[in-house]
mmCIF file of all heavy atoms in Angstrom:
data_model
loop_
_atom_site.group_PDB
_atom_site.id
_atom_site.type_symbol
_atom_site.label_atom_id
_atom_site.label_comp_id
_atom_site.label_asym_id
_atom_site.label_seq_id
_atom_site.Cartn_x
_atom_site.Cartn_y
_atom_site.Cartn_z
ATOM 1 N N GLU A 376 14.562 93.659 278.527
ATOM 2 C CA GLU A 376 13.849 94.791 279.127
ATOM 3 C C GLU A 376 14.835 95.568 280.011
ATOM 4 O O GLU A 376 14.878 96.710 280.061
ATOM 5 C CB GLU A 376 12.575 94.396 279.978
ATOM 6 C CG GLU A 376 11.423 94.033 279.127
ATOM 7 C CD GLU A 376 10.469 93.168 279.811
ATOM 8 O OE1 GLU A 376 10.451 93.083 281.055
ATOM 9 O OE2 GLU A 376 9.773 92.363 279.079
ATOM 10 N N GLY A 377 15.650 94.745 280.724
ATOM 11 C CA GLY A 377 16.677 95.319 281.605
ATOM 12 C C GLY A 377 17.598 96.259 280.837
ATOM 13 O O GLY A 377 17.926 97.319 281.308
ATOM 14 N N SER A 378 18.067 95.824 279.615
ATOM 15 C CA SER A 378 18.871 96.659 278.817
ATOM 16 C C SER A 378 18.130 97.538 277.945
ATOM 17 O O SER A 378 18.611 98.151 276.913
ATOM 18 C CB SER A 378 19.836 95.722 278.019
ATOM 19 O OG SER A 378 19.046 95.019 277.161
ATOM 20 N N ASN A 379 16.859 97.760 278.195
ATOM 21 C CA ASN A 379 15.847 98.602 277.553
ATOM 22 C C ASN A 379 16.066 98.613 276.034
ATOM 23 O O ASN A 379 16.013 99.753 275.384
ATOM 24 C CB ASN A 379 15.853 100.015 278.111
ATOM 25 C CG ASN A 379 17.051 100.803 277.892
ATOM 26 O OD1 ASN A 379 17.613 100.958 276.733
ATOM 27 N ND2 ASN A 379 17.559 101.376 278.952
ATOM 28 N N ALA A 380 16.289 97.428 275.504
ATOM 29 C CA ALA A 380 16.426 97.381 274.003
ATOM 30 C C ALA A 380 14.993 97.595 273.436
ATOM 31 O O ALA A 380 13.982 97.175 273.941
ATOM 32 C CB ALA A 380 16.953 95.989 273.632
ATOM 33 N N SER A 381 15.031 98.365 272.413
ATOM 34 C CA SER A 381 13.731 98.749 271.885
ATOM 35 C C SER A 381 13.146 97.622 271.037
ATOM 36 O O SER A 381 11.909 97.440 270.974
ATOM 37 C CB SER A 381 13.886 99.992 270.992
ATOM 38 O OG SER A 381 14.835 99.786 270.006
ATOM 39 N N ALA A 382 14.045 96.859 270.309
ATOM 40 C CA ALA A 382 13.528 95.826 269.562
ATOM 41 C C ALA A 382 13.149 94.652 270.533
ATOM 42 O O ALA A 382 13.955 94.159 271.238
ATOM 43 C CB ALA A 382 14.634 95.387 268.613
ATOM 44 N N SER A 383 11.921 94.341 270.511
ATOM 45 C CA SER A 383 11.524 93.273 271.431
ATOM 46 C C SER A 383 10.949 92.031 270.618
ATOM 47 O O SER A 383 10.377 92.290 269.532
ATOM 48 C CB SER A 383 10.548 93.695 272.434
ATOM 49 O OG SER A 383 9.315 93.934 271.845
ATOM 50 N N THR A 384 11.111 90.946 271.124
ATOM 51 C CA THR A 384 10.448 89.829 270.483
ATOM 52 C C THR A 384 9.368 89.280 271.473
ATOM 53 O O THR A 384 9.527 88.277 272.028
ATOM 54 C CB THR A 384 11.505 88.606 270.303
ATOM 55 O OG1 THR A 384 12.136 88.441 271.534
ATOM 56 C CG2 THR A 384 12.443 89.009 269.163
ATOM 57 N N LYS A 385 8.362 90.108 271.583
ATOM 58 C CA LYS A 385 7.288 89.681 272.530
ATOM 59 C C LYS A 385 6.711 88.350 272.139
ATOM 60 O O LYS A 385 6.505 88.116 270.781
ATOM 61 C CB LYS A 385 6.176 90.693 272.490
ATOM 62 C CG LYS A 385 6.315 91.783 273.678
ATOM 63 C CD LYS A 385 5.301 92.708 273.579
ATOM 64 C CE LYS A 385 5.792 94.142 273.791
ATOM 65 N NZ LYS A 385 5.301 95.113 272.773
ATOM 66 N N ARG A 386 6.426 87.575 272.984
ATOM 67 C CA ARG A 386 5.884 86.304 272.598
ATOM 68 C C ARG A 386 4.511 86.495 272.060
ATOM 69 O O ARG A 386 3.618 87.075 272.802
ATOM 70 C CB ARG A 386 5.802 85.381 273.765
ATOM 71 C CG ARG A 386 5.088 84.081 273.419
ATOM 72 C CD ARG A 386 5.502 82.914 274.267
ATOM 73 N NE ARG A 386 5.050 81.768 273.591
ATOM 74 C CZ ARG A 386 5.762 80.778 273.317
ATOM 75 N NH1 ARG A 386 7.071 80.801 273.538
ATOM 76 N NH2 ARG A 386 5.292 79.670 272.680
ATOM 77 N N SER A 387 4.350 86.229 270.829
ATOM 78 C CA SER A 387 2.905 86.346 270.381
ATOM 79 C C SER A 387 2.407 84.952 270.222
ATOM 80 O O SER A 387 3.092 84.030 269.729
ATOM 81 C CB SER A 387 2.937 87.095 268.992
ATOM 82 O OG SER A 387 4.220 87.663 268.700
ATOM 83 N N HIS A 388 1.190 84.781 270.675
ATOM 84 C CA HIS A 388 0.663 83.468 270.573
ATOM 85 C C HIS A 388 0.028 83.149 269.190
ATOM 86 O O HIS A 388 -0.240 84.100 268.392
ATOM 87 C CB HIS A 388 -0.518 83.400 271.602
ATOM 88 C CG HIS A 388 0.055 83.411 272.974
ATOM 89 N ND1 HIS A 388 0.694 82.292 273.539
ATOM 90 C CD2 HIS A 388 0.229 84.419 273.948
ATOM 91 C CE1 HIS A 388 1.173 82.632 274.789
ATOM 92 N NE2 HIS A 388 0.875 83.856 275.019
#
Side-chain angles (χ1 to χ4, degrees):
Chain A
E376 281 157 25
S378 61
N379 67 50
S381 57
S383 74
T384 49
K385 264 182 227 127
R386 174 156 193 123
S387 348
H388 290 284

